[in-house]
């Protein structure tokens, strides 16, 4: 089952105001909300000043599991920010794009991912333009420095597929 979510249709919940606002607010609040969690089952995004606070505020059920974490720095460094992707089931072993995000710019993560780690049998495939356009990376399980993947994928992703 493929699940595609348009970022523009989402609501973002923030720790400071505690209310739902359009997804573009996530990009505007990058300094105070550098760590975000997206629940791909519901489309809800929660951002906070650290990963633990974002997870607590997200209300993500115990059944939800992390499938990938994007890092704004190489070496899985959390200092500049993270974006955690969750959903309720494991990815399948085949590369069939169970989930996808068509515009990383709309959540403040376009051309920003420098390292990635995946979990629960998932891999990611980056595209350098929104809506899965332009060049595509290989399927990536983990990389502490995306500059070392193919022609270099550091700070290059505009959209992503998960499988």
């Amino acid at each position: 089952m493929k699940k595609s979510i348009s970022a523009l249709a989402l609501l973002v919940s923030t720790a400071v105001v505690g209310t739902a606002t359009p997804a573009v607010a996530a990009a505007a609040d990058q300094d105070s909300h550098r760590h975000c969690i997206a629940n791909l089952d519901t489309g809800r995004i929660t951002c906070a000043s650290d990963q633990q606070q974002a997870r607590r505020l997200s209300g993500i059920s115990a059944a939800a599991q992390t499938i990938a974490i994007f890092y704004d720095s190489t070496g899985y460094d959390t200092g500049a920010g993270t974006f955690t992707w969750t959903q309720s089931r494991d990815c399948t072993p085949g590369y069939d794009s169970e989930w996808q995000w068509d515009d990383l710019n709309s959540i403040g993560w376009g051309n920003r991912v420098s390292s990635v780690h995946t979990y629960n049998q998932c891999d990611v495939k980056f595209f350098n333009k929104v809506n899965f356009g332009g060049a595509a990376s290989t399927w990536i399980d983990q990389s502490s420095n995306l500059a070392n993947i193919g022609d270099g994928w550091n700070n290059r992703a505009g959209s992503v597929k998960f499988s």
Side-chain angles (χ1 to χ4, degrees):
M1 168 187 192
K2 179 167 64 170
K3 189 174 228 180
S4 179
I5 299 175
S6 174
L8 296 176
L10 294 178
L11 295 178
V12 177
S13 176
T14 64
V16 172
V17 293
T19 59
T21 56
V24 292
D29 285 336
Q30 283 304 312
D31 290 336
S32 61
H33 297 101
R34 295 191 328 213
H35 302 277
C36 296
I37 295 179
N39 182 329
L40 290 169
D41 293 327
T42 65
R44 181 178 178 192
I45 298 175
T46 304
C47 298
S49 59
D50 64 57
Q51 286 179 307
Q52 292 77 18
Q53 182 183 29
R55 185 164 288 280
R56 277 193 310 276
L57 293 170
S58 70
I60 293 174
S61 72
Q65 51 192 322
T66 298
I67 62 168
I69 300 176
F70 294 174
Y71 299 84
D72 195 11
S73 297
T74 59
Y76 311 119
D77 182 359
T78 62
T82 61
F83 202 101
T84 301
W85 301 89
T86 67
Q87 53 79 37
S88 61
R89 59 189 168 85
D90 288 343
C91 293
T92 61
Y95 296 121
D96 52 3
S97 301
E98 284 112 331
W99 297 273
Q100 50 192 338
W101 199 268
D102 61 6
D103 186 357
L104 293 173
N105 295 310
S106 67
I107 57 171
W109 276 81
N111 301 322
R112 187 173 167 194
V113 184
S114 294
S115 55
V116 62
H117 196 286
T118 63
Y119 303 87
N120 297 303
Q121 299 180 7
C122 295
D123 292 319
V124 297
K125 185 174 198 169
F126 293 117
F127 297 81
N128 72 332
K129 295 186 179 181
V130 299
N131 297 315
F132 319 108
S137 72
T138 60
W139 286 98
I140 302 166
D141 178 45
Q142 62 184 357
S143 174
S144 65
N145 186 349
L146 288 170
N148 298 329
I149 300 293
D151 293 333
W153 280 90
N154 186 43
N155 296 331
R156 189 173 164 194
S159 52
V160 63
K161 293 186 178 188
F162 301 91
S163 181

